[in-house]
Amino acid sequence: MKHNLKKLPKSEMELEVFVAAEEMETFWKAARRKVSEGIQVKGFRPGKAPSDVLAGAGVEEDVHNETANSVINKTYPEILEKEGIEPIGRVNAEIIKLAPGNEFVYKLKFFVLPEVNLPDYKKIASDVLKNKKNQEIKKEEIDKAIDWLRKSRAELVEVQRKAQKGDMVEIDIESLAGDKKLEKATGEEKFILGEGNFLPGFEEAIEGLDVNSEKEFEITAPADYWDESLRGKKLFFKVTMKKVNERKLPEINDEWVKKIGKFKDVKEFEKSIEEGILAEKEIKERDKMRVQMMDKLLAETKIDLPEILVENETHYRMHELEHMAKDAGLSLDDYLTRAKKDKESVEKELRKEAEKTVNGMLILKEISKREDCHPSDKEMEAAMAGFLARFGSSKDAEKEIDRDALWGYTEERLTNEKVFQLLESL
């Protein structure tokens, strides 16, 4: 058996294999025996009909297919192992020459992981980290967080007075644009007055409205309003104030902080808030540094991307877009129409994003290989257990999760994290 191996563009390879006629004879005999065992030829026991009789029975094509498949499946893995090649994705086969008593020739085409010629990634990481900012917490940030927490736990007390900013109000709205009723802005609404959740001018118009009283007014939607169909239009509103609830904020004291967490006093509570804000800021700064590292690595690394990896990532992103449209109650075509885009341009955008993602994945994979950044089995099991715990029970998890796929996803995630931790420690 001989073979030729040729590199093609985009990390694709072509393997041409030549199997001598004398080597093929064993495969032909085995194929005829297997095919004949599955048919009944009058006058012969199963598996004993000669080749000329099998040809007359119309199964010679089956014999050819069985021979080709058995030879290919036997020979090409041996060649790839000898060459140290591991295909990714599908392997496409093409039969060039196949006939009894002759040499068998076939070709395979497949993609392989490309060679990744990395730049000095340690220097890149070090240069980026020089600009990392130390995070500080201002008192007003702590006060703002505590104020939000107090408001979220405010006691609502129904009152019979005019609505004021800060009240939780319940209203009925009738909305018109010209003579057309705006269904999405008609009905009952419950919100905190003054937080700016409605069309500019709307909340100011109903401030001071008594319980059970009505008010009619017009507002012109601004030119940059989020709903393009309403921009610049005069909108008519009829509002009935159904209920006004005053929010009574809790007093900040030791008793209150003990109720919302395991804090012994206000001082410990404020310290926890400060640490939480600091941790959030540090994660944000860390992620910013990681993005800059990857951008520089991507700019300085040239990779002959395998088409199959780019295709798969692009298809995945398109699938996600379809799901997002479906969640919004739209078909993909309707979603794209509203976004003023066409499918072809979106696919180009997604492909560009996919290429960046695949490039980044291959860069991190190469660094992990060079630096031996791999999670231990213990780390893997702990991470997977944490993920599966979300399902409540192991039985539920078994129904919903492909464990092999989860293992692969977890391994990649933990490996990438270890690579970044290594770069950040330089």
Side-chain angles (χ1 to χ4, degrees):
M1 180 175 65
K2 299 181 297 182
H3 69 272
N4 294 326
L5 196 59
K6 184 165 61 173
K7 290 184 178 180
L8 303 176
K10 296 187 176 180
S11 296
E12 189 175 19
M13 301 199 79
E14 181 183 271
L15 173 64
E16 188 171 22
V17 182
F18 307 85
V19 185
E22 53 269 26
E23 293 180 72
M24 289 296 299
E25 190 56 37
T26 301
F27 290 101
W28 281 110
K29 288 179 180 178
R32 288 192 181 95
R33 184 167 56 252
K34 183 174 181 179
V35 171
S36 64
E37 286 174 352
I39 64 170
Q40 183 64 51
V41 179
K42 189 175 181 180
F44 297 94
R45 296 197 307 275
K48 299 298 182 180
S51 58
D52 58 336
V53 174
L54 287 175
V59 296
E60 195 62 21
E61 183 179 349
D62 294 338
V63 174
H64 277 63
N65 290 337
E66 177 62 30
T67 302
N69 288 334
S70 60
V71 176
I72 292 172
N73 292 333
K74 173 72 168 56
T75 55
Y76 96 84
E78 295 175 355
I79 296 171
L80 295 184
E81 184 177 0
K82 182 180 178 180
E83 294 282 354
I85 295 171
E86 185 176 350
I88 55 175
R90 61 185 178 271
V91 177
N92 295 317
E94 178 187 1
I95 296 173
I96 307 300
K97 181 180 178 182
L98 176 64
N102 287 272
E103 178 185 53
F104 175 41
V105 183
Y106 69 90
K107 282 184 181 180
L108 298 180
K109 283 186 178 181
F110 50 85
F111 291 96
V112 295
L113 286 178
E115 183 179 357
V116 180
N117 296 311
L118 291 173
D120 189 343
Y121 53 88
K122 293 182 179 180
K123 184 178 185 304
I124 286 174
S126 179
D127 289 344
V128 168
L129 291 171
K130 288 176 183 177
N131 298 317
K132 186 177 181 181
K133 296 178 182 177
N134 291 324
Q135 302 303 307
E136 297 179 353
I137 308 301
K138 297 178 181 177
K139 186 177 183 303
E140 50 262 37
E141 293 178 280
I142 299 173
D143 293 341
K144 185 177 179 180
I146 293 175
D147 187 54
W148 178 88
L149 199 57
R150 289 177 70 205
K151 288 177 179 178
S152 70
R153 285 165 169 74
E155 178 187 359
L156 295 178
V157 179
E158 187 174 353
V159 292
Q160 299 297 316
R161 59 163 172 75
K162 298 179 185 296
Q164 301 174 1
K165 286 182 179 178
D167 289 337
M168 175 71 77
V169 299
E170 297 178 29
I171 62 174
D172 274 340
I173 310 175
E174 292 181 30
S175 306
L176 294 172
D179 58 355
K180 184 179 178 182
K181 184 178 180 181
L182 299 176
E183 295 292 345
K184 56 189 172 185
T186 296
E188 295 182 357
E189 292 286 351
K190 184 178 180 180
F191 61 97
I192 296 172
L193 188 61
E195 291 195 342
N197 295 316
F198 283 80
L199 183 75
F202 181 90
E203 293 178 53
E204 291 82 353
I206 66 172
E207 185 180 346
L209 201 59
D210 273 315
V211 177
N212 295 325
S213 61
E214 295 180 351
K215 185 174 182 180
E216 297 181 3
F217 53 93
E218 285 186 352
I219 296 177
T220 300
D224 60 349
Y225 190 52
W226 67 270
D227 189 336
E228 294 183 13
S229 65
L230 299 180
R231 289 177 180 176
K233 290 186 177 180
K234 280 190 175 182
L235 308 178
F236 172 81
F237 297 98
K238 180 179 179 182
V239 175
T240 302
M241 183 64 66
K242 304 293 290 184
K243 189 182 289 187
V244 175
N245 295 295
E246 184 178 326
R247 293 189 301 164
K248 293 189 175 294
L249 303 183
E251 184 181 348
I252 304 174
N253 53 39
D254 292 347
E255 292 304 313
W256 180 65
V257 300
K258 287 176 183 178
K259 291 178 183 178
I260 62 174
K262 296 180 180 180
F263 308 109
K264 66 180 181 181
D265 53 30
V266 173
K267 186 177 180 180
E268 188 177 273
F269 166 69
E270 290 178 339
K271 183 66 176 176
S272 176
I273 294 292
E274 182 180 5
E275 290 172 351
I277 296 173
L278 179 61
E280 186 177 336
K281 279 190 164 188
E282 287 178 340
I283 289 173
K284 188 175 180 179
E285 182 68 10
R286 181 205 69 186
D287 290 346
K288 178 183 173 182
M289 294 295 101
R290 290 182 176 184
V291 168
Q292 289 181 15
M293 284 183 203
M294 284 307 305
D295 285 345
K296 287 184 176 294
L297 285 168
L298 286 165
E300 297 185 29
T301 308
K302 301 302 179 185
I303 304 175
D304 195 13
L305 286 180
E307 182 63 24
I308 190 170
L309 293 183
V310 178
E311 282 183 2
N312 288 345
E313 181 65 23
T314 305
H315 290 160
Y316 169 76
R317 288 172 179 269
M318 182 60 77
H319 186 64
E320 289 291 294
L321 187 62
E322 289 174 353
H323 268 289
M324 187 169 69
K326 187 177 180 181
D327 290 341
L330 300 169
S331 68
L332 179 60
D333 288 340
D334 289 340
Y335 178 85
L336 295 178
T337 298
R338 292 194 179 192
K340 295 183 177 180
K341 294 183 177 181
D342 59 83
K343 195 170 183 179
E344 184 179 354
S345 65
V346 168
E347 284 180 340
K348 285 183 179 178
E349 290 175 12
L350 295 181
R351 181 181 174 84
K352 191 173 181 180
E353 293 172 9
E355 288 175 351
K356 184 176 180 179
T357 297
V358 173
N359 268 316
M361 175 194 73
L362 293 172
I363 288 170
L364 292 174
K365 186 179 182 70
E366 181 64 21
I367 295 175
S368 73
K369 186 169 66 175
R370 294 189 189 186
E371 302 291 340
D372 194 25
C373 294
H374 301 288
S376 65
D377 287 348
K378 187 176 181 180
E379 289 172 321
M380 287 288 298
E381 291 294 348
M384 289 180 65
F387 181 86
L388 294 172
R390 303 176 193 174
F391 287 82
S393 73
S394 58
K395 288 184 178 180
D396 290 338
E398 288 173 6
K399 292 177 183 177
E400 299 288 337
I401 296 297
D402 180 334
R403 189 174 177 84
D404 289 339
L406 177 60
W407 181 277
Y409 164 77
T410 305
E411 184 175 35
E412 182 179 355
R413 180 172 60 84
L414 294 184
T415 299
N416 291 348
E417 180 62 27
K418 282 184 173 290
V419 169
F420 278 118
Q421 288 176 359
L422 170 82
L423 296 176
E424 289 159 354
S425 68
L426 298 173

